[in-house]
Amino acid sequence: MSGAAVTSVAAAGVLGQAAPAFAASTSGVGSFRSYPFSLGIASGDPLPDSVILWTRLAPEPLAVGSGMPQRKVPVHWQVADDEAFKHIVTEGEIFALPENNHSVHVDVRGLRPDRWYFYRFRCGSELSPVGRTRTLPALGATVSSFNFAHVSCQNWINGHYTAYRDLARENLDVVFHLGDYIYETQIPVTTPRGIDVAAEVRAPCHSVDEYRLRYALYKLDANLQASHAAFPWVVTWDDHEVANDYAGAADRGKLELERRAAGYKAWWENIPTRMAPPVGPDMKVYRRFAVGNLVQFDVLDGRQYRKGNNDPVVSKIGDEQEAWLIDGIGSYDTTWNVMAVGQQLGGVAQNSPTRNRIYQAYYDRGVSPVILAGDLHWTLVSDALLRIPDASSPIVGSQFIGTSITSTGDGPGDPATVTGWMKNPWVKYAQGYRGYFRHTVTPTGMTSTQHNVQFVTRPDAPGWDAQSCYIDASRPGVQLL
């Protein structure tokens, strides 16, 4: 089935200056003066029999409280086999709670494996846009092909989400977002988007209300909404969901913990995840998925447990998460093992003790991982060596560092930086346009393609497939096509 974009509704007018949006009515739900599904809909964390459906009621999205009353509001949801909703598979009602900023996470269970579904919400007389989602194949089932993409780093102030326009048109089964969904820093008065944003929305994020406003600003983007509506997403975080370069296990002062708790709460409210809500400044987000007998995905948290990059004892991802990852290598007996993390575990030409231990564990078990990462704002494709910078070291697996959606602005980046990276023989490809990676995995091989957009500082940039790569399932290492 095509991955065509599903129509979404975006707010209009001066951002952050909407009129009061909710008026009481005798129905008990209320009537809305503005569209309550302004932030779109989304799905995520698919399993063979379940998927999470998400929305947030926000008739006044860029005001504290989103224009909603301080009471719970019933929201009806439906899942169907068809886009016209002639065959309803399941439906129900859930309350959007004020303490969760009137967001909802519906865990729809009892679905059939390896199936596409359509979903929507209703609140009062208002209907949401229609979204499309899917379940994963059953554990151990024979799977001939699986398509996914990975994206990261979407700084609103750097430009337009044109890459999401193209992503929504792809033929994908799932999207992995590897962090920096928002940026918490001050928004300047003038940005390439040319949109007038109210001062309270531009302020740097410290409180939960400030983070909530930042998510609302980002999620008003129609291209981001279309990509969420087209496929289920699996999302982890990096640093800007809280603060630039924060290290969760080290930054533990009172104000730092309060800020982290606020950032985590707002992240949970705005992401289609099946994770339980955070408890203060702590939230477990690392998790594992299996696609039949084909591929195991290990999705990591590279920030919350970080204390030091090169401490020989303290794990960069925390002792508990590192043990979980290593103990789970190959646990689903799939052809492929994919590790997805916000930031690479070591530099392009630099080891870290955490990276060494994890790569050694894969090597000892005879498993060749594919590592997906973000954060760098460059595209880098490389062999994953057991020990870098020793070019003669065994190849453990392959690594794809994806570029950003917008962060750092227009490409192609400094050619001298590319030249410097390409001096390392294990680096196969490097470039600096904005975009994303898409991947097709089969029992015999994995094909990965970098998709670029020409610019982000103006809307409607042309996009193109820049480079494809191939990994043979029978041996580690990347080949350029």
Side-chain angles (χ1 to χ4, degrees):
M1 183 178 291
S2 170
V6 182
T7 301
S8 60
V9 180
V14 178
L15 296 184
Q17 298 180 11
F22 192 95
S25 81
T26 57
S27 68
V29 172
S31 59
F32 298 96
R33 294 176 185 167
S34 300
Y35 189 58
F37 299 104
S38 62
L39 304 181
I41 45 84
S43 69
D45 283 5
L47 300 175
D49 66 344
S50 170
V51 70
I52 299 296
L53 306 183
W54 173 93
T55 194
R56 182 159 76 80
L57 303 178
E60 192 180 336
L62 294 181
V64 173
S66 305
M68 292 295 295
Q70 284 300 303
R71 60 178 174 83
K72 63 182 183 180
V73 176
V75 178
H76 192 82
W77 56 270
Q78 291 180 318
V79 176
D81 278 331
D82 62 304
E83 193 170 5
F85 286 81
K86 293 181 178 178
H87 182 203
I88 305 296
V89 173
T90 184
E91 59 187 314
E93 193 169 272
I94 189 171
F95 282 108
L97 304 177
E99 56 265 36
N100 293 332
N101 207 202
H102 289 95
S103 64
V104 298
H105 297 73
V106 182
D107 186 357
V108 183
R109 295 196 171 268
L111 301 176
R112 288 175 288 176
D114 201 13
R115 296 277 300 187
W116 284 103
Y117 292 98
F118 295 88
Y119 64 97
R120 65 185 179 186
F121 298 90
R122 188 188 75 241
C123 188
S125 61
E126 297 282 5
L127 277 177
S128 76
V130 173
R132 193 185 68 143
T133 191
R134 66 161 297 139
T135 53
L136 297 181
L139 296 178
T142 299
V143 180
S144 60
S145 182
F146 192 77
N147 302 319
F148 63 97
H150 83 276
V151 301
S152 64
C153 303
Q154 53 193 51
N155 197 343
W156 189 90
I157 69 173
N158 288 140
H160 298 269
Y161 292 164
T162 310
Y164 282 137
R165 173 204 65 192
D166 295 352
L167 186 77
R169 300 167 179 165
E170 298 277 13
N171 179 24
L172 301 173
D173 296 303
V174 70
V175 172
F176 290 87
H177 195 294
L178 303 186
D180 293 346
Y181 193 99
I182 63 161
Y183 281 67
E184 82 295 353
T185 53
Q186 174 78 34
I187 294 176
V189 174
T190 302
T191 74
R193 288 176 175 256
I195 297 174
D196 183 8
V197 180
E200 59 267 27
V201 180
R202 292 191 287 106
C205 301
H206 293 85
S207 70
V208 68
D209 283 335
E210 288 165 339
Y211 283 106
R212 286 167 169 170
L213 289 174
R214 190 59 53 90
Y215 277 98
L217 177 66
Y218 278 50
K219 293 179 82 69
L220 282 169
D221 185 274
N223 289 326
L224 176 59
Q225 288 190 22
S227 287
H228 268 301
F231 327 102
W233 285 37
V234 174
V235 184
T236 189
W237 54 39
D238 193 24
D239 54 342
H240 286 284
E241 288 84 355
V242 175
N244 184 41
D245 284 338
Y246 88 99
D251 299 336
R252 300 192 68 85
K254 182 177 184 294
L255 294 179
E256 293 166 333
L257 291 176
E258 289 176 351
R259 188 180 192 186
R260 198 167 96 193
Y264 285 8
K265 182 68 161 65
W267 181 90
W268 179 84
E269 290 172 349
N270 287 280
I271 298 299
T273 178
R274 67 175 61 250
M275 300 294 99
V279 179
D282 300 296
M283 183 176 179
K284 179 178 174 292
V285 300
Y286 60 88
R287 54 215 193 270
R288 179 170 288 131
F289 301 86
V291 180
N293 67 350
L294 185 62
V295 55
Q296 170 180 317
F297 292 100
D298 294 320
V299 181
L300 305 185
D301 174 355
R303 282 291 169 182
Q304 184 173 184
Y305 313 107
R306 180 178 298 216
K307 191 168 185 180
N309 288 338
N310 293 301
D311 190 308
V313 177
V314 177
S315 174
K316 195 173 182 180
I317 60 173
D319 292 341
E320 183 177 332
Q321 182 179 200
E322 183 177 317
W324 169 87
L325 174 66
I326 290 174
D327 291 346
I329 291 174
S331 61
Y332 283 106
D333 194 25
T334 55
T335 302
W336 299 89
N337 275 247
V338 175
M339 178 206 305
V341 61
Q343 187 184 62
Q344 59 181 326
L345 299 177
V348 175
Q350 178 187 15
N351 276 315
S352 76
T354 299
R355 177 194 185 278
N356 290 347
R357 288 191 298 269
I358 291 172
Y359 280 27
Q360 187 70 55
Y362 278 110
Y363 187 70
D364 291 345
R365 289 160 176 77
V367 174
S368 298
V370 176
I371 298 102
L372 312 178
D375 179 71
L376 198 59
H377 310 161
W378 286 82
T379 298
L380 279 176
V381 179
S382 65
D383 292 336
L385 303 186
L386 186 62
R387 294 287 186 272
I388 54 173
D390 179 4
S392 65
S393 181
I395 299 173
V396 176
S398 307
Q399 179 167 262
F400 296 90
I401 300 176
T403 186
S404 63
I405 294 294
T406 60
S407 300
T408 67
D410 292 339
D414 184 357
T417 302
V418 174
T419 300
W421 276 325
M422 293 300 294
K423 290 178 180 178
N424 301 300
W426 54 89
V427 176
K428 306 300 182 182
Y429 178 73
Q431 58 92 310
Y433 283 99
R434 311 282 71 81
Y436 57 85
F437 260 115
R438 72 171 185 271
H439 311 270
T440 297
V441 59
T442 73
T444 57
M446 177 172 168
T447 302
S448 302
T449 300
Q450 172 63 29
H451 182 87
N452 290 338
V453 293
Q454 188 171 353
F455 48 79
V456 296
T457 52
R458 291 169 285 149
D460 302 320
W464 75 99
D465 288 349
Q467 179 67 55
S468 292
C469 314
Y470 183 75
I471 306 170
D472 192 313
S474 65
R475 62 181 183 274
V478 182
Q479 309 166 44
L480 298 186
L481 298 178

